[in-house]
Short mmCIF file of all heavy atoms in Angstrom, two decimals:
data_model
loop_
_atom_site.label_atom_id
_atom_site.label_comp_id
_atom_site.label_asym_id
_atom_site.label_seq_id
_atom_site.Cartn_x
_atom_site.Cartn_y
_atom_site.Cartn_z
N ALA B 293 -8.82 -59.82 74.80
CA ALA B 293 -7.63 -60.62 75.29
C ALA B 293 -6.33 -60.07 74.73
O ALA B 293 -5.34 -60.08 75.46
CB ALA B 293 -7.78 -62.12 74.80
N GLU B 294 -6.34 -59.51 73.52
CA GLU B 294 -5.14 -58.96 72.94
C GLU B 294 -4.65 -57.69 73.58
O GLU B 294 -3.45 -57.43 73.72
CB GLU B 294 -5.28 -58.74 71.50
CG GLU B 294 -4.91 -59.93 70.65
CD GLU B 294 -4.77 -59.54 69.10
OE1 GLU B 294 -4.42 -58.38 68.82
OE2 GLU B 294 -5.04 -60.46 68.28
N VAL B 295 -5.62 -56.85 74.00
CA VAL B 295 -5.20 -55.45 74.27
C VAL B 295 -5.38 -55.09 75.80
O VAL B 295 -4.64 -54.17 76.25
CB VAL B 295 -5.99 -54.41 73.42
CG1 VAL B 295 -5.85 -54.74 71.94
CG2 VAL B 295 -7.47 -54.30 73.78
N VAL B 296 -6.22 -55.74 76.49
CA VAL B 296 -6.43 -55.42 77.92
C VAL B 296 -5.40 -56.18 78.72
O VAL B 296 -4.86 -57.22 78.30
CB VAL B 296 -7.84 -55.69 78.29
CG1 VAL B 296 -8.11 -55.32 79.77
CG2 VAL B 296 -8.84 -54.90 77.44
N PHE B 297 -5.11 -55.72 79.95
CA PHE B 297 -4.24 -56.43 80.86
C PHE B 297 -4.63 -55.93 82.26
O PHE B 297 -5.29 -54.95 82.48
CB PHE B 297 -2.72 -56.15 80.55
CG PHE B 297 -2.38 -54.70 80.46
CD1 PHE B 297 -1.98 -53.97 81.54
CD2 PHE B 297 -2.45 -54.03 79.23
CE1 PHE B 297 -1.64 -52.66 81.45
CE2 PHE B 297 -2.09 -52.68 79.18
CZ PHE B 297 -1.71 -51.98 80.27
N ASP B 298 -4.26 -56.79 83.24
CA ASP B 298 -4.58 -56.45 84.67
C ASP B 298 -3.92 -55.07 85.03
O ASP B 298 -2.72 -54.92 84.68
CB ASP B 298 -4.01 -57.48 85.61
CG ASP B 298 -4.79 -58.78 85.57
OD1 ASP B 298 -5.96 -58.78 84.96
OD2 ASP B 298 -4.36 -59.82 86.15
N GLY B 299 -4.69 -54.27 85.65
CA GLY B 299 -4.16 -52.92 85.96
C GLY B 299 -4.23 -51.87 84.87
O GLY B 299 -3.75 -50.79 85.03
N ALA B 300 -4.80 -52.29 83.77
CA ALA B 300 -4.84 -51.32 82.57
C ALA B 300 -5.69 -50.14 82.79
O ALA B 300 -6.68 -50.23 83.60
CB ALA B 300 -5.31 -52.04 81.29
N THR B 301 -5.34 -49.05 82.23
CA THR B 301 -6.25 -47.84 82.16
C THR B 301 -7.01 -47.86 80.85
O THR B 301 -6.44 -47.83 79.78
CB THR B 301 -5.47 -46.59 82.27
OG1 THR B 301 -4.82 -46.53 83.56
CG2 THR B 301 -6.40 -45.32 82.16
N LEU B 302 -8.39 -48.01 80.95
CA LEU B 302 -9.25 -48.11 79.79
C LEU B 302 -10.08 -46.89 79.65
O LEU B 302 -10.71 -46.45 80.63
CB LEU B 302 -10.23 -49.31 79.88
CG LEU B 302 -9.70 -50.69 80.27
CD1 LEU B 302 -10.89 -51.61 80.27
CD2 LEU B 302 -8.67 -51.06 79.25
N MET B 303 -10.16 -46.38 78.43
CA MET B 303 -11.22 -45.37 78.10
C MET B 303 -12.36 -46.13 77.52
O MET B 303 -12.08 -47.02 76.61
CB MET B 303 -10.74 -44.31 77.13
CG MET B 303 -9.83 -43.33 77.83
SD MET B 303 -9.18 -42.09 76.67
CE MET B 303 -8.17 -41.13 77.79
N VAL B 304 -13.59 -45.85 77.89
CA VAL B 304 -14.74 -46.53 77.28
C VAL B 304 -15.70 -45.46 76.78
O VAL B 304 -16.14 -44.65 77.63
CB VAL B 304 -15.41 -47.54 78.22
CG1 VAL B 304 -16.57 -48.24 77.55
CG2 VAL B 304 -14.42 -48.46 78.79
N GLY B 305 -16.03 -45.42 75.47
CA GLY B 305 -16.86 -44.40 74.92
C GLY B 305 -18.23 -44.48 75.35
O GLY B 305 -18.64 -45.45 76.07
N GLY B 306 -19.00 -43.48 74.99
CA GLY B 306 -20.45 -43.48 75.27
C GLY B 306 -20.86 -42.44 76.23
O GLY B 306 -20.09 -41.97 77.06
N PHE B 307 -22.10 -42.08 76.09
CA PHE B 307 -22.79 -41.08 77.00
C PHE B 307 -24.03 -41.85 77.39
O PHE B 307 -24.88 -42.08 76.63
CB PHE B 307 -23.16 -39.86 76.20
CG PHE B 307 -23.70 -38.73 77.03
CD1 PHE B 307 -22.87 -37.82 77.66
CD2 PHE B 307 -25.09 -38.65 77.21
CE1 PHE B 307 -23.44 -36.81 78.48
CE2 PHE B 307 -25.64 -37.62 77.96
CZ PHE B 307 -24.83 -36.68 78.65
N GLY B 308 -24.04 -42.37 78.67
CA GLY B 308 -24.98 -43.29 79.10
C GLY B 308 -24.65 -44.58 78.20
O GLY B 308 -23.49 -44.90 77.97
N LEU B 309 -25.71 -45.18 77.78
CA LEU B 309 -25.49 -46.40 76.88
C LEU B 309 -25.32 -46.09 75.46
O LEU B 309 -24.89 -46.93 74.63
CB LEU B 309 -26.64 -47.45 77.04
CG LEU B 309 -26.77 -47.99 78.47
CD1 LEU B 309 -28.04 -48.88 78.65
CD2 LEU B 309 -25.49 -48.87 78.84
N VAL B 310 -25.64 -44.80 75.09
CA VAL B 310 -25.55 -44.45 73.63
C VAL B 310 -24.10 -44.23 73.22
O VAL B 310 -23.30 -43.45 73.87
CB VAL B 310 -26.38 -43.18 73.38
CG1 VAL B 310 -26.15 -42.56 71.99
CG2 VAL B 310 -27.85 -43.49 73.63
N GLY B 311 -23.64 -44.94 72.25
CA GLY B 311 -22.24 -44.83 71.77
C GLY B 311 -21.33 -45.70 72.67
O GLY B 311 -20.11 -45.52 72.63
#
Side-chain angles (χ1 to χ4, degrees):
Chain B
E294 270 195 28
V295 305
V296 181
F297 52 90
D298 286 348
T301 295
L302 308 183
M303 287 179 177
V304 183
F307 185 87
L309 295 173
V310 171

